Amino acid sequence: MPDALRIDLPNSYIGRSVPRPNARRLLQGRGQFTDDLKLPRMLHVAFLRSPHAHARIVGINLDAARKAPGVVAAVHGKDLAKYCTPWVGVLSHFPGLKSAPQYPLAIDKVVWQGEPVVAVVAESRALAEDALESIEIDYDALSPVADMETALAPDTPVIHPELGDNLAFAMQVNSGDVDATFARAAVIVEDVFHYNRHTCVSLEPRCVLADFDPSERKLTVYASTQTPYQMQDVYSRHLGIPEENVRVVARDVGGAFGMKLHVYGDDMATCALAIMLERPVKFTADRLESFVTDIHARDHRVKARMAVSADGEILGMEVDDLTGIGPFSVYPRTSAVEGAQVIRIMGGPYRFRDYRGRLQVVLQNKNLMSQYRAVGHPIACTVTEALVDKAAAATGLDPVEFRRRNYVSDDMYPYTSPTGYWFERLSHHQCLDRLLGIMRYDDLRAEQAALRERGVWRGIGLAAFIEITNPGPAFYGVGGARISSQDGCVLKLEPSGKVRCLISVNELGQGTETVIAQIVADTLGIAFEDVRVITGDTETTPHGGATWASRGAGIGGETAMLAARALRENVLSLAGVVMQAPPASLDIRDGQVVDAESGTVRLAMAEVARIGHFRPDTLPKDFQAELNVVRHYVPRGQPFAFTNGIQASYLEVDVETGFVKLLGHWVVEDCGRVLNPMLVAEQIRGGVVQGIGPALFEHCVYSEEGQMLSGTLADYLVPMAGEMPDIVVAHVETPTQLQELGVKGTGEAGTAGASAAVMNALNDALVPFSTRLTAMPFTPQRILEALGRVSSAP
């Protein structure tokens, strides 16, 4: 090789391909560049997963896999433990929460069917999967803990002996004298509710591409995640790389719904393999893998009762919630949040003081369970609203009148619930009145009665709900999780006069970039098209909490408004200097600096930007043009901003087949100030469909041995467009005073109340048959069983 092209490579590169960034750097340093270098190709990883719910790993033979065509590496758990430390999903503000350490790949024992055991890295996904077939693993099967209701029994095996038992967490909420209240109640209604385990089924599955540059020890991860900043911290701490050397890029994400908040073993393994092999490695979960590894949610058995006076006043509630979360508490947000929110949201719309809520969170040999859209809300709403309907019937009141009598009244705000939640101001009465009008409630009742005379069985169900939004510092940071409660926004006025917005809330398909651009444009006084929003890159956007828990507009939007206001002031200050006019006499309208009084155009924004960027020599020496601004915002004063609303479902039950036909669904929701009515309405409609899904269709079915039986889209039913009714959405606006925009969240409102509305409508339709259903999903089989038309399934 001629001296001009000779490269003296570090010893670490001897015998392997030179990574692209380093090859370019080495050559450019000599003033040379060539495309002839052998550069590393991206590798693909596939995982061999446990077929057992609970078993010891006796032996693993990887010899044949390592010799298979195209295979670069085949590794087991102990191999990767050298590159990635384990994690434990506990937080200090859940005292007593316990979980065992979790590794990227199972070590010594598997604890759920689908847990990754071996990773094979090859030149293609197909070659990696072919090599999986040659791996030999010897298991010693153990008795699985599948039923959460027997998880704490003395004769049930303990999944992690070092923890002592299968109880991961327990808590209790007490207010008033519950026993005395039930002793004096004229009416007590009670039931046992089963809310079924289900999962996300996002359009885009989990995927991660990790690229490690050993020369700088820099890891770049392209991932379908909701929280790039959280994951930057996780990768840094568990892979041993300085945080500033970890870049996480999450572009437009094709659906997340809480499922993409969490740490997954196969994702961590992919990153560890990229570091180990010093080559880019990609993993994409296929649909079968998604069913057994994407977090599941809402596996709850709730025993609840409500005390009511003779004239229909709710006096108190008692709730006992048992939930199974799989073999680990999910990291880093834990698996305690869902149950905790169930017993705290319970009874939210209603005024009563005496309450007792008990929660037990148990470990089991099923896939992990954690936060999913509307965390805990659908369970609390379903239990509360079902008991409200039952109490209304027991006291001889129409369900509407019973609710009206018991809502927290307007003159009681601000109001603290018996579970300790603080409500600034909600609008239950206004929402109810609006709902009755848009659904023509009285007409539907008359239609229902007439059709019953003809043997057509229709039902009307109502469900009032509350929703936690805009979570503040008390949510995760206080427990030790490195999850930001603030968001940051950088605005740059470009020389063209256009504005570039870099913000920490990211785009998951819900319209984040649209609403942020709208806020910036409206605040600045420029066209929507003149704002470019950039999200989802820890290298370029400011650190922040990102998008989850209905916080995008309420926290990210407030951040963007503050930044836009600051940039506006700077632009007007510069324009005032240029035109020798007081900034207060100027305004920005339609992208032009105008006279505030007359509206006369004085200067184009592009001209202001040109002078600030390229002609500062024409400005006074003591003046600095500040055309870039940074602002951050975190909610203060209260941990959440609560929204509220009410939903109604109208359906028909075929008592011969058990099939349910949805005829109409209505939502009236109060998310404070509505910034973009179309985005809000479609968020609500999508949420309603996700709430209808578990009520009628979705169910992660497991055998007694812990084997998932509904792990394909042929067995796991999701709602289809043709099965959904028209969903009518209306609004009441009660702006929050906790921030200037007056915005509360709306992303989970549809999901929060839909299941409850469907359940109440179904049971209303079945009133003539004197039967009720409380175990979701309400399949034709279960409906026919309740009607006595078929025997119970084994």
Side-chain angles (χ1 to χ4, degrees):
M1 177 183 291
D3 288 342
L5 292 180
R6 182 175 177 179
I7 306 173
D8 296 320
L9 297 177
N11 288 336
S12 61
Y13 293 145
I14 294 174
R16 69 177 181 83
S17 303
V18 182
R20 185 184 306 273
N22 307 303
R24 292 180 67 94
R25 189 176 300 109
L26 289 164
L27 285 170
Q28 287 170 343
R30 291 177 176 265
Q32 301 288 336
F33 182 75
T34 178
D35 288 327
D36 294 335
L37 289 173
K38 182 183 178 184
L39 299 176
R41 295 174 57 190
M42 181 175 71
L43 301 173
H44 298 260
V45 60
F47 294 93
L48 186 61
R49 301 179 182 276
S50 170
H52 298 279
H54 197 194
R56 277 189 291 269
I57 301 173
V58 178
I60 301 176
N61 186 341
L62 301 178
D63 292 345
R66 286 170 174 160
K67 297 174 184 176
V71 169
V72 176
V75 300
H76 51 63
K78 292 179 180 178
D79 295 327
L80 281 194
K82 301 170 186 176
Y83 294 88
C84 181
T85 60
W87 52 91
V88 181
V90 299
L91 293 174
S92 62
H93 64 315
F94 293 118
L97 174 61
K98 61 190 181 185
S99 185
Q102 188 177 354
Y103 289 84
L105 302 178
I107 295 178
D108 297 331
K109 186 169 73 169
V110 292
V111 288
W112 88 89
Q113 177 216 2
E115 183 175 9
V117 180
V118 171
V120 173
V121 186
E123 298 292 340
S124 72
R125 170 74 179 241
L127 290 171
E129 290 183 346
D130 287 347
L132 294 180
E133 300 291 333
S134 64
I135 295 173
E136 297 175 357
I137 302 181
D138 185 13
Y139 292 102
D140 179 13
L142 302 172
S143 297
V145 183
D147 185 353
M148 64 184 178
E149 300 203 42
T150 61
L152 301 179
D155 57 346
T156 297
V158 177
I159 297 172
H160 304 289
E162 66 272 24
L163 299 182
D165 56 31
N166 292 324
L167 181 64
F169 180 64
M171 67 176 288
Q172 188 161 317
V173 177
N174 292 290
S175 175
D177 192 339
V178 175
D179 294 332
T181 293
F182 275 90
R184 67 183 174 89
V187 175
I188 297 175
V189 292
E190 56 190 323
D191 238 323
V192 179
F193 301 87
H194 292 270
Y195 209 100
N196 48 300
R197 176 183 277 251
H198 51 282
T199 190
C200 178
V201 198
S202 58
L203 184 64
E204 176 189 56
R206 286 187 298 111
C207 51
V208 59
L209 193 162
D211 187 9
F212 181 65
D213 179 353
S215 70
E216 295 182 341
R217 285 199 58 76
K218 182 172 182 179
L219 177 68
T220 301
V221 181
Y222 301 87
S224 182
T225 178
Q226 293 175 242
T227 52
Y229 313 94
Q230 168 195 294
M231 295 311 300
Q232 179 189 39
D233 171 73
V234 168
Y235 295 143
S236 169
R237 287 189 293 116
H238 292 281
L239 298 171
I241 299 173
E243 187 174 308
E244 64 272 16
N245 283 6
V246 178
R247 178 187 183 189
V248 179
V249 182
R251 299 303 188 196
D252 294 351
V253 174
F257 311 111
M259 183 271 287
K260 294 176 182 175
L261 286 172
H262 312 291
V263 172
Y264 292 89
D266 40 28
D267 291 353
M268 296 296 287
T270 303
C271 296
L273 287 163
I275 296 169
M276 173 183 172
L277 301 173
E278 299 182 357
R279 287 180 66 176
V281 180
K282 180 181 180 181
F283 167 66
T284 300
D286 63 30
R287 190 59 67 189
L288 298 178
E289 289 177 301
S290 294
F291 273 116
V292 294
T293 59
D294 292 356
I295 60 103
H296 294 174
R298 311 204 227 281
D299 192 5
H300 289 251
R301 183 236 60 202
V302 183
K303 297 178 180 178
R305 60 180 186 151
M306 178 179 285
V308 185
S309 70
D311 59 356
E313 178 189 359
I314 299 174
L315 304 175
M317 284 186 72
E318 185 173 23
V319 173
D320 187 340
D321 182 17
L322 173 69
T323 179
I325 61 168
F328 300 102
S329 173
V330 174
Y331 184 73
R333 295 170 184 253
T334 84
S335 298
V337 175
E338 182 174 86
Q341 291 193 174
V342 167
I343 65 170
R344 287 196 177 277
I345 295 171
M346 198 74 67
Y350 302 101
R351 58 175 192 270
F352 61 90
R353 302 313 310 164
D354 298 319
Y355 176 78
R356 180 185 297 136
R358 291 184 294 266
L359 170 67
Q360 287 186 308
V361 179
V362 299
L363 302 174
Q364 55 186 167
N365 293 118
K366 294 181 180 179
N367 187 22
L368 282 64
M369 199 175 81
S370 193
Q371 286 89 316
Y372 175 54
R373 190 177 193 175
V375 182
H377 296 63
I379 301 138
C381 182
T382 296
V383 171
T384 301
E385 293 300 299
L387 291 181
V388 163
D389 266 17
K390 201 170 184 180
T395 54
L397 294 172
D398 182 88
V400 168
E401 178 58 27
F402 188 90
R403 285 171 172 81
R404 205 186 297 277
R405 290 188 185 188
N406 285 284
Y407 281 152
V408 177
S409 59
D410 293 346
D411 60 358
M412 297 176 72
Y413 293 106
Y415 177 82
T416 301
S417 76
T419 68
Y421 279 151
W422 184 85
F423 305 141
E424 177 191 12
R425 184 173 183 81
L426 302 180
S427 56
H428 293 296
H429 289 279
Q430 297 92 324
C431 289
L432 176 61
D433 290 341
R434 186 77 189 279
L435 179 80
L436 298 177
I438 64 173
M439 70 180 292
R440 300 180 299 108
Y441 180 79
D442 291 337
D443 292 344
L444 289 183
R445 282 294 183 201
E447 178 180 274
Q448 177 191 38
L451 288 172
R452 280 183 178 176
E453 296 295 323
R454 294 161 43 192
V456 178
W457 312 107
R458 290 188 176 181
I460 301 169
L462 305 178
F465 63 88
I466 59 175
E467 179 197 356
I468 289 174
T469 76
N470 299 357
F475 212 58
Y476 286 115
V478 295
R482 294 172 63 86
I483 299 169
S484 180
S485 55
Q486 70 164 11
D487 276 297
C489 179
V490 177
L491 290 184
K492 301 179 179 182
L493 180 61
E494 305 285 11
S496 63
K498 312 296 185 184
V499 172
R500 187 179 297 254
C501 171
L502 300 97
I503 194 164
S504 53
V505 290
N506 49 322
E507 181 61 70
L508 310 176
Q510 79 284 49
T512 292
E513 294 178 1
T514 297
V515 78
I516 295 299
Q518 180 183 335
I519 291 169
V520 171
D522 288 352
T523 305
L524 272 174
I526 63 177
F528 173 85
E529 294 79 10
D530 289 344
V531 181
R532 182 183 178 192
V533 179
I534 298 171
T535 65
D537 188 341
T538 61
E539 190 95 322
T540 59
T541 59
H543 198 282
T547 305
W548 46 275
S550 299
R551 66 189 303 282
I555 300 179
E558 187 82 359
T559 311
M561 184 201 68
L562 295 173
R565 183 179 293 169
L567 181 58
R568 183 178 182 278
E569 291 174 1
N570 291 355
V571 170
L572 292 178
S573 294
L574 174 56
V577 168
V578 171
M579 293 182 288
Q580 299 183 12
S585 70
L586 303 173
D587 197 5
I588 304 173
R589 299 172 192 167
D590 298 325
Q592 308 284 338
V593 177
V594 303
D595 182 88
E597 241 180 68
S598 67
T600 304
V601 175
R602 301 289 302 276
L603 205 62
M605 281 276 281
E607 180 63 10
V608 177
R610 184 192 69 81
I611 294 170
H613 281 290
F614 305 128
R615 292 306 308 274
D617 59 294
T618 63
L619 304 175
K621 292 183 179 179
D622 61 348
F623 181 85
Q624 290 288 338
E626 297 285 352
L627 301 183
N628 295 345
V629 300
V630 182
R631 288 295 183 273
H632 289 81
Y633 171 75
V634 62
R636 298 288 188 183
Q638 294 297 328
F640 314 109
F642 278 89
T643 70
N644 72 277
I646 186 167
Q647 300 189 30
S649 174
Y650 186 45
L651 55 77
E652 182 178 312
V653 181
D654 185 332
V655 296
E656 299 302 323
T657 66
F659 279 92
V660 173
K661 183 178 182 180
L662 300 170
L663 303 173
H665 200 100
W666 298 264
V667 184
V668 178
E669 194 261 0
D670 185 347
C671 63
R673 182 183 175 192
V674 177
L675 297 177
N676 188 311
M678 180 178 290
L679 286 179
V680 171
E682 296 315 310
Q683 277 285 290
I684 291 171
R685 288 191 177 99
V688 165
V689 173
Q690 279 190 289
I692 291 173
L696 296 177
F697 306 104
E698 300 182 58
H699 191 189
C700 294
V701 180
Y702 277 84
S703 71
E704 294 180 356
E705 294 75 31
Q707 297 290 311
M708 189 174 181
L709 304 178
S710 56
T712 74
L713 286 173
D715 304 297
Y716 183 97
L717 302 183
V718 295
M720 307 294 285
E723 297 161 331
M724 294 300 100
D726 287 341
I727 301 170
V728 179
V729 178
H731 302 285
V732 171
E733 292 191 46
T734 308
T736 177
Q737 302 302 307
L738 299 177
Q739 35 98 318
E740 291 188 56
L741 272 178
V743 172
K744 298 182 272 190
T746 192
E748 298 169 300
T751 308
S755 298
V758 170
M759 171 189 270
N760 282 347
L762 173 65
N763 285 326
D764 183 52
L766 298 179
V767 165
F769 300 91
S770 302
T771 188
R772 288 173 56 82
L773 286 89
T774 57
M776 296 186 190
F778 305 120
T779 61
Q781 173 75 21
R782 286 180 172 175
I783 291 171
L784 292 176
E785 288 172 7
L787 292 168
R789 304 291 172 96
V790 298
S791 58
S792 298

